Amino acid sequence: MYGKSYLLLGGFQHRLAVHMLNISSKLRYITIQLTILVVYIFAAYKNYGYYNLDEHYQIIGFAEFKLGHTRDVSWEYTKQMRSALQPIICMNLFRFCYYFGINNPFTLTLLLRLISAFTSFIAIRYFVSITKHKFQYEQQIYYQIISYLSWFVPLLSVRFSSETWSGIFILVSIGTISNIQTNKNKWRAVLAGLGLGLAFLFRFQSIIILISVLPWVYVISKRKYAEIWYIILSFTFVAIIGVILDSWFYGQFTLSFYNYLNNNLFLEASKFYGTSPWYFYPLEIFGGVGFFNGIVLIISVLILLINRSTTIFLWCPLLFIIIHSFFPHKELRFIFPVSIFGGIIILKAIQYVNHIFSRNAIHGFMILYIMFNLTFFLIGLSKSTRMGETEIASHIYNNYPNGRVNLITTYDAHPFDLKMNFSEHFYKRKNVKLKVISSFWDQNFKSLMISDEVNLLLITGKEYTGVKSELYLQKCGMELVYSTSPLIDDLYSLADYFYYERAESSDYLLLYRKKH
């Protein structure tokens, strides 16, 4: 009797211990997920501004124009060559905020970045959850870390850009298709097709992914024609919705995808923005993700190719880059939508070399890779995009809401002119008046100050020459009130190659105020 009781008690204790371990494991998982989400939210908060002009003028600019808040709009609107989906999302968010009295432009753009951060986080979580079984348990930990926290991933994931949002749905679609050989094929194919359709609407070049997916599903995955048709029909359904949205947005029936092709390919308008050789992207990848990351990624791709890997995680991104290499105008941001696949490509390559290197060597390499990426991520967070024009604009907007502000700025430091044919008033209060000068060394600079107004001077770090400049500015009665200089100046220049516009990003801005 007692023996039986002890057995029952022992069994209960064992079940309780297992239950507590499960709870502990779940709490640890939730804590890690929440920590990563907080990192993404902080990245969204810190990354003012835009990576490229299109992120502003072809999304926020279109939305503001439709809302009647500006008469200026970029030429892509008149050519009707931009999908209306993203500007419509932006327009309705702004309209909702305006209704509740939220009209601070920096709050509005922060909300856009937060939406991007949450959506990216959910997409990466979905992708990792359905692909992590492809790796051993120890590798799964590394896989999850580099999928979320490869240094450029959080920084790009918070942008409300066409590249980011297209990449979100490419990630969901490819992840879904990779498991299409399991049960519920029909609904997985439909989900994949819907995702590819949305990726297409956010960025038309994403049709390349559809072109690469279909032969993989049939030839390599050896699925039936039915799955292919589910993908095509779902994609087509979303594309038709896109035509309806475009026609409503532009006020007439239009095919924005055709307009895009006609202007950029047939009329070769994109050549006006410069052309690059076919090997542009391999070189940019080397410099873009950091030399160490670039070496690891290129070697990983070569390992998979040598071993004749047919994984969709290599097939689709590689074809995406190869086809982009045939277009004359190339920018690194054009391949951002597939940048997230770098992590899984590296881990797939490690599977092929596991038998060559010791377990400790693999662990040591992964720890080194993760530390490198975390370091670069922290450096990237130390400064907002480009020179920090929008960060400066935010400081002026929030700190000088009343009274007349006389802002004297050199042309290169202009915080409101986004280098287009018209100035951007979205970030500027009406009480701020601008005066543009060639250099603060110009004697005319002092005569532009107005005694009964707040006088501000904005210059770039390149114009500031050290002690000589500081003494001259002090003589003019100016004091430094804000700077976008990164916390780690020297190391920052290593990280700016990928994430920021290189011609300007290594520079920063200095804001001075005239003492009373």
Side-chain angles (χ1 to χ4, degrees):
M1 180 177 176
Y2 289 107
K4 187 175 181 179
S5 298
Y6 281 124
L7 286 174
L8 289 173
L9 181 60
F12 172 74
Q13 290 175 334
H14 174 73
R15 289 194 299 272
L16 180 62
V18 170
H19 181 65
M20 293 302 293
L21 282 173
N22 288 336
I23 292 175
S24 176
S25 178
K26 289 179 181 178
L27 286 174
R28 185 167 61 249
Y29 175 77
I30 292 172
T31 302
I32 292 171
Q33 291 290 302
L34 288 176
T35 301
I36 293 171
L37 182 58
V38 168
V39 169
Y40 275 58
I41 291 172
F42 183 72
Y45 170 77
K46 190 67 180 71
N47 278 272
Y48 295 92
Y50 52 92
Y51 174 86
N52 183 271
L53 294 171
D54 291 353
E55 188 177 337
H56 178 89
Y57 277 108
Q58 294 189 37
I59 300 175
I60 295 174
F62 280 24
E64 284 289 287
F65 181 77
K66 287 294 289 185
L67 290 170
H69 296 166
T70 181
R71 291 177 294 176
D72 296 323
V73 69
S74 64
W75 67 275
E76 288 88 352
Y77 183 91
T78 57
K79 295 292 184 179
Q80 301 179 2
M81 54 183 283
R82 165 87 195 196
S83 170
L85 177 59
Q86 206 164 3
I88 287 174
I89 294 172
C90 181
M91 181 178 70
N92 283 288
L93 175 67
F94 284 9
R95 182 179 284 148
F96 176 82
C97 292
Y98 292 147
Y99 179 80
F100 288 98
I102 303 171
N103 52 24
N104 184 316
F106 302 97
T107 302
L108 296 175
T109 52
L110 174 59
L111 288 174
L112 291 176
R113 295 195 302 275
L114 286 173
I115 291 171
S116 295
F118 277 110
T119 310
S120 296
F121 173 80
I122 292 170
I124 296 172
R125 185 175 181 275
Y126 170 78
F127 181 80
V128 169
S129 68
I130 63 175
T131 56
K132 66 181 181 181
H133 69 274
K134 300 178 184 295
F135 305 103
Q136 297 174 359
Y137 177 75
E138 290 182 344
Q139 292 179 338
Q140 287 182 17
I141 297 172
Y142 295 131
Y143 172 53
Q144 293 183 61
I145 292 173
I146 64 177
S147 293
Y148 286 108
L149 297 175
S150 286
W151 75 271
F152 49 86
V153 172
L155 298 176
L156 295 179
S157 295
V158 303
R159 306 243 55 88
F160 193 74
S161 64
S162 64
E163 294 86 5
T164 293
W165 280 78
S166 177
I168 287 171
F169 289 99
I170 288 173
L171 190 67
V172 170
S173 301
I174 297 300
T176 302
I177 290 170
S178 70
N179 281 345
I180 209 169
Q181 63 268 27
T182 62
N183 296 328
K184 302 179 181 178
N185 286 343
K186 178 175 73 172
W187 295 112
R188 288 182 182 274
V190 169
L191 176 61
L194 293 175
L196 290 173
L198 287 169
F200 170 74
L201 292 188
F202 282 112
R203 189 163 184 81
F204 290 137
Q205 293 94 324
S206 298
I207 198 172
I208 297 171
I209 298 294
L210 177 69
I211 294 171
S212 62
V213 156
L214 296 180
W216 186 90
V217 171
Y218 182 69
V219 177
I220 298 175
S221 185
K222 301 188 186 311
R223 302 312 304 165
K224 300 176 182 178
Y225 277 117
E227 281 87 354
I228 295 176
W229 279 111
Y230 284 132
I231 293 173
I232 293 174
L233 290 175
S234 301
F235 177 91
T236 304
F237 171 76
V238 176
I240 291 172
I241 297 297
V243 172
I244 295 171
L245 291 175
D246 290 347
S247 300
W248 172 80
F249 188 77
Y250 291 112
Q252 65 183 69
F253 177 78
T254 188
L255 297 173
S256 56
F257 176 56
Y258 169 77
N259 297 335
Y260 178 86
L261 288 177
N262 184 50
N263 282 277
N264 283 321
L265 292 183
F266 306 142
L267 299 180
E268 298 184 328
S270 62
K271 284 188 176 180
F272 290 105
Y273 298 100
T275 60
S276 302
W278 64 269
Y279 51 83
F280 173 85
Y281 288 115
L283 294 180
E284 287 291 291
I285 290 172
F286 256 112
V289 297
F291 186 76
F292 177 65
N293 275 19
I295 287 286
V296 171
L297 184 58
I298 295 297
I299 291 176
S300 298
V301 170
L302 292 175
I303 289 172
L304 294 180
L305 291 175
I306 291 170
N307 286 275
R308 300 181 181 180
S309 172
T310 58
T311 175
I312 193 172
F313 309 118
L314 174 66
W315 173 277
C316 289
L318 191 58
L319 194 60
F320 187 83
I321 295 172
I322 289 173
I323 292 178
H324 268 83
S325 297
F326 287 98
F327 300 145
H329 177 60
K330 302 175 183 68
E331 294 181 38
L332 186 59
R333 67 186 176 99
F334 292 168
I335 61 173
F336 282 175
V338 296
S339 61
I340 185 64
F341 293 101
I344 196 167
I345 287 174
I346 292 170
L347 266 295
K348 294 292 286 185
I350 287 176
Q351 287 182 329
Y352 283 102
V353 298
N354 258 335
H355 65 284
I356 300 175
F357 299 99
S358 68
R359 181 171 173 270
N360 288 338
I362 297 293
H363 286 321
F365 164 74
M366 290 308 305
I367 291 171
L368 177 63
Y369 184 85
I370 289 169
M371 293 303 296
F372 175 89
N373 279 273
L374 289 178
T375 301
F376 265 52
F377 173 61
L378 292 174
I379 294 170
L381 279 182
S382 73
K383 185 176 185 291
S384 57
T385 53
R386 301 170 71 89
M387 290 191 296
E389 298 97 329
T390 313
E391 185 179 348
I392 283 288
S394 174
H395 176 83
I396 295 172
Y397 189 96
N398 293 319
N399 288 275
Y400 305 99
N402 304 311
R404 288 180 292 183
V405 177
N406 179 37
L407 177 59
I408 304 169
T409 173
T410 57
Y411 175 76
D412 289 337
H414 201 311
F416 305 116
D417 181 0
L418 304 187
K419 308 300 183 276
M420 297 288 281
N421 293 326
F422 48 86
S423 292
E424 175 50 51
H425 301 290
F426 180 68
Y427 294 112
K428 185 171 77 70
R429 288 188 185 273
K430 293 182 179 179
N431 66 322
V432 177
K433 302 300 179 184
L434 286 147
K435 295 175 182 176
V436 181
I437 58 176
S438 58
S439 170
F440 72 92
W441 292 103
D442 190 338
Q443 292 299 314
N444 189 44
F445 149 62
K446 290 183 285 187
S447 65
L448 295 176
M449 296 187 192
I450 303 174
S451 58
D452 60 344
E453 295 185 7
V454 175
N455 291 285
L456 301 176
L457 171 68
L458 184 62
I459 62 174
T460 67
K462 289 180 179 177
E463 296 172 295
Y464 184 82
T465 56
V467 176
K468 183 179 178 181
S469 297
E470 191 63 34
L471 290 175
Y472 175 70
L473 290 169
Q474 287 180 7
K475 183 179 179 181
C476 296
M478 309 300 293
E479 61 178 347
L480 181 67
V481 292
Y482 199 84
S483 170
T484 63
S485 176
L487 298 176
I488 317 172
D489 243 341
D490 295 331
L491 288 177
Y492 170 73
S493 63
L494 298 174
D496 74 346
Y497 191 89
F498 180 82
Y499 183 55
Y500 308 106
E501 295 287 348
R502 294 180 292 282
E504 302 176 21
S505 63
S506 57
D507 203 354
Y508 56 93
L509 298 175
L510 297 165
L511 182 67
Y512 286 83
R513 177 177 176 172
K514 181 75 164 64
K515 297 177 184 178
H516 295 296

